[in-house]
Amino acid sequence: MGTFFGDTSVSTQPACTPATIHHYFSAESWIEGAALDQLDRMARLPGVRSIAAFPDLHPGKYGATGVALLSDRLHPLLVGNDIGCGMSLFELDLPLRKLKLDRAASRLRRFDALAVDDAAGRLDGVGLPGDLFADALGTIGGGNHFCELQAVESLSSPVSGIGRQGLYLLVHSGSRGFGAAVLSDSLSAEPDLMSGLDASSPAGLHWLGRHDQCVAWASLNRILIAEKAASALGADCRLVTDVPHNLVRRSEKGYVHHKGAAAVDPGTIAPLAGSRATLSYIVRATEKVAGSLGGISHGAGRKYDRATMHGRVGRTRSERDDLLRNAWGGIAICDDRALVIEEAPSAYKDAGRVVADLVAAGLVESLAAMRPLVTYKKAVDEEGRARRPDKPDHRQTGRRKHDRY
DNA sequence: ATGTCC
């Protein structure tokens, strides 16, 4: 399966008028040329009417990430494999003054491996089959996914559910193997998926139905991750806001595809993630998001791709250790050496710059800045295996998949 | 992104 943008067959199709591309970023936000090229290609895909591009725009596998795209055909490739991926913010019933950072970090070190209590019942509770990828439910996954303990660094305006003395969990995760299976099934059934699907065709209806399940699954997944993390800390958590950024929303105008663009409505409170060593933000969408197809940025956006990061940072053990601490005394938990490098804070743009562009465009008001205290990425056990609950290990032979610390 | 290609 090649990536679509290497295929010239579509760009030479009889030209319909390319969709309008709206840029919601300023000259101060550096945008990679490859991402702008991808936007031009996306604007020529069948059925695409208009595109909103946000300041965290960066190149992706099948198209640029950081966009909302209105189309009258469905484009599963533009949503990608992690259907339903999003950011959820939770408030802990544990005050900041009671936090012992080192103890919290050691408790969180084990939390991802905790089993979910009554996964089948929880799936059933949101209208999903009780056996739907139940083993993966409540797990964070890899790549840029995380669960982060945060405190308020500054509060620009009062927000219900957010206070200076509180502690918060920001969870970034998606639909794990489920979304990946949905995309791969669609690719097998329709090799020319780059042309999109008629939404009323059997394949289109099938993808939409599975998509809706992924969105519900991913949302539940973030809740269960937070519940497990809260429980590891001896606390309860309350959902403040849940905002997906990989999905399709139906509108009267067509299908709005979100790829790494938070799906909001006027008034939605949305997290905008920085990195494990920089501030994240809480913003509120304004009325003007109707003009940006209901999209805003969900994070800082990548500045360097994963491959480029190798060699740039983390050459020595001590450099890698430094990558796991931040200026506020915060700690990142990541036993996977490659992930430490690929997700280094310097791989990301400045989330503050992203917020400033969105504010300047009138799309959001900034409510709060949040500092990272403990960022959970991945832990491995003594044998170098990822911590997974109730999973027999089939990888005992050969060398370890991940280097340990 | 992915119980990720063996």
Side-chain angles (χ1 to χ4, degrees):
Chain A
M1 165 186 74
T3 63
F4 161 64
F5 292 110
D7 182 343
T8 53
S9 65
V10 167
S11 57
T12 55
Q13 273 183 353
C16 347
T17 313
T20 321
I21 301 171
H22 300 272
H23 290 175
Y24 290 92
F25 48 83
S26 72
E28 280 127 288
S29 278
W30 176 80
I31 306 287
E32 207 173 323
L36 298 173
D37 292 345
Q38 287 189 326
L39 276 188
D40 286 338
R41 309 264 188 158
M42 291 159 79
R44 288 170 169 79
L45 288 173
V48 175
R49 299 282 169 237
S50 74
I51 297 177
F54 301 106
D56 57 333
L57 190 77
H58 58 282
K61 183 169 183 183
Y62 297 106
T65 298
V67 302
L69 176 149
L70 173 67
S71 168
D72 38 53
R73 284 173 71 76
L74 293 173
H75 286 280
L77 286 175
L78 296 185
V79 174
N81 64 320
D82 199 2
I83 305 163
C85 186
M87 298 265 178
S88 296
L89 183 74
F90 302 82
E91 182 185 32
L92 292 169
D93 67 345
L94 181 72
L96 175 60
R97 63 185 154 76
K98 289 213 176 163
L99 181 77
K100 297 221 177 0
L101 194 62
D102 288 336
R103 206 166 75 166
S106 71
R107 288 180 169 197
L108 284 172
R109 171 158 272 284
R110 300 200 56 127
F111 97 93
D112 201 28
L114 294 173
V116 166
D117 189 31
D118 188 23
R122 300 299 294 267
L123 285 162
D124 183 65
V126 296
L128 295 171
D131 59 351
L132 190 65
F133 286 79
D135 285 349
L137 201 61
T139 63
I140 295 170
N144 56 2
H145 291 170
F146 61 81
C147 173
E148 186 169 274
L149 181 66
Q150 298 182 335
V152 171
E153 177 71 6
S154 65
L155 206 54
S156 329
S157 73
V159 200
S160 157
I162 297 179
R164 293 180 189 278
Q165 52 298 67
L167 280 172
Y168 303 86
L169 290 171
L170 179 62
V171 177
H172 180 195
S173 189
S175 53
R176 311 288 280 109
F178 182 23
V182 171
L183 180 61
S184 104
D185 288 353
S186 285
L187 269 166
S188 312
E190 179 48 81
D192 185 31
L193 200 54
M194 60 187 77
S195 301
L197 301 172
D198 182 331
S200 58
S201 70
L205 290 168
H206 182 256
W207 182 82
L208 264 182
R210 298 291 274 173
H211 158 281
D212 290 349
Q213 287 188 313
C214 284
V215 171
W217 196 103
S219 180
L220 174 62
N221 191 35
R222 290 187 287 276
I223 289 171
L224 295 176
I225 289 166
E227 286 181 6
K228 281 166 52 173
S231 149
L233 294 168
D236 284 326
C237 65
R238 184 187 65 81
L239 180 67
V240 175
T241 189
D242 175 20
V243 185
H245 51 248
N246 289 348
L247 77 165
V248 164
R249 289 204 291 184
R250 286 82 151 175
S251 87
E252 59 285 352
K253 292 177 186 166
Y255 296 90
V256 179
H257 298 62
H258 291 254
K259 176 58 172 177
V264 298
D265 296 304
T268 301
I269 306 285
L272 198 153
S275 73
R276 64 194 184 217
T278 58
L279 297 174
S280 293
Y281 296 84
I282 311 295
V283 302
R284 182 191 287 124
T286 68
E287 298 291 332
K288 285 196 180 176
V289 295
S292 70
L293 300 173
I296 58 172
S297 299
H298 79 281
R302 270 197 172 272
K303 185 161 57 180
Y304 299 109
D305 63 37
R306 293 172 205 286
T308 304
M309 287 309 291
H310 289 278
R312 279 188 66 89
V313 298
R315 291 165 178 281
T316 66
R317 162 76 189 255
S318 94
E319 275 181 42
R320 292 193 293 279
D321 283 348
D322 290 345
L323 289 174
L324 297 175
R325 298 194 195 91
N326 69 40
W328 297 279
I331 300 163
I333 298 165
C334 184
D335 294 337
D336 182 330
R337 174 177 158 165
L339 206 51
V340 170
I341 292 165
E342 291 163 7
E343 292 294 313
S346 57
Y348 287 92
K349 299 183 199 177
D350 173 20
R353 178 71 254 163
V354 171
V355 171
D357 275 11
L358 295 176
V359 169
L363 295 180
V364 308
E365 54 182 315
S366 180
L367 303 177
M370 312 289 285
R371 66 176 181 274
L373 298 176
V374 181
T375 309
Y376 182 95
K377 294 289 291 181
K378 184 191 272 189
V380 295
D381 67 17
E382 296 70 27
E383 277 72 50
R385 289 169 287 171
R387 292 182 179 276
R388 292 272 297 121
D390 311 322
K391 289 288 286 182
D393 193 313
H394 304 296
R395 295 178 296 173
Q396 285 286 11
T397 57
R399 67 186 168 80
R400 289 168 182 162
K401 184 166 185 181
H402 301 290
D403 294 312
R404 290 193 65 244
Y405 273 80

